[in-house]
Amino acid sequence: MEYLHQIGFDYKGLVADGYYLYITHIDIKYKSSAYLDDRLFVDVEPVKLNIISGTFRQTVRKEDGTICATADVTWASVKTGRPARIPDKFMVEGLYPDDDARKDEKVR
């Protein structure tokens, strides 16, 4: 949720309009251990955006930069229990992967 807040995604507005984002799949690759009291940071980048779903890549790292895990988190938009396209008014730049031409259209 923190990433969605940072990119200006209006999740409360989305919910008020009857939509929800559900996690549909997570693929995690563990790289290194983290221990109690380690400060962990999570970097997030969008890697895929379809009509009703997308994927964020999350990288969990320690303060010294050591990567603990990477995860591809796939989500889907749902309204009244069925897959649904997110309305354009909620489509902010941070949902689009860097190489997605639609991102350029959003920035204009």
Side-chain angles (χ1 to χ4, degrees):
M1 289 301 291
E2 185 174 333
Y3 178 74
L4 294 178
H5 289 295
Q6 287 178 356
I7 65 172
F9 185 80
D10 182 12
Y11 192 73
K12 287 182 181 179
L14 187 80
V15 170
D17 282 3
Y19 295 83
Y20 296 90
L21 299 180
Y22 291 114
I23 302 302
T24 59
H25 182 80
I26 300 176
D27 181 28
I28 300 174
K29 294 178 178 73
Y30 293 97
K31 308 280 187 182
S32 177
S33 296
Y35 299 99
L36 186 63
D37 294 329
D38 280 351
R39 288 191 64 194
L40 300 176
F41 301 88
V42 180
D43 299 316
V44 180
E45 66 173 318
V47 294
K48 189 175 184 182
L49 184 63
N50 297 319
I51 293 171
I52 61 166
S53 65
T55 302
F56 293 129
R57 177 156 301 133
Q58 298 180 339
T59 303
V60 181
R61 59 181 173 79
K62 293 182 188 180
E63 200 165 18
D64 68 3
T66 301
I67 295 175
C68 298
T70 59
D72 285 348
V73 180
T74 302
W75 53 268
S77 173
V78 175
K79 183 172 184 173
T80 61
R82 304 207 37 104
R85 183 183 189 134
I86 296 175
D88 285 342
K89 68 181 181 180
F90 297 107
M91 297 302 294
V92 296
E93 181 182 345
L95 291 176
Y96 295 90
D98 285 340
D99 62 351
D100 191 317
R102 296 171 296 176
K103 181 177 186 174
D104 295 332
E105 294 171 11
K106 258 333 231 190
V107 175
R108 292 181 200 159

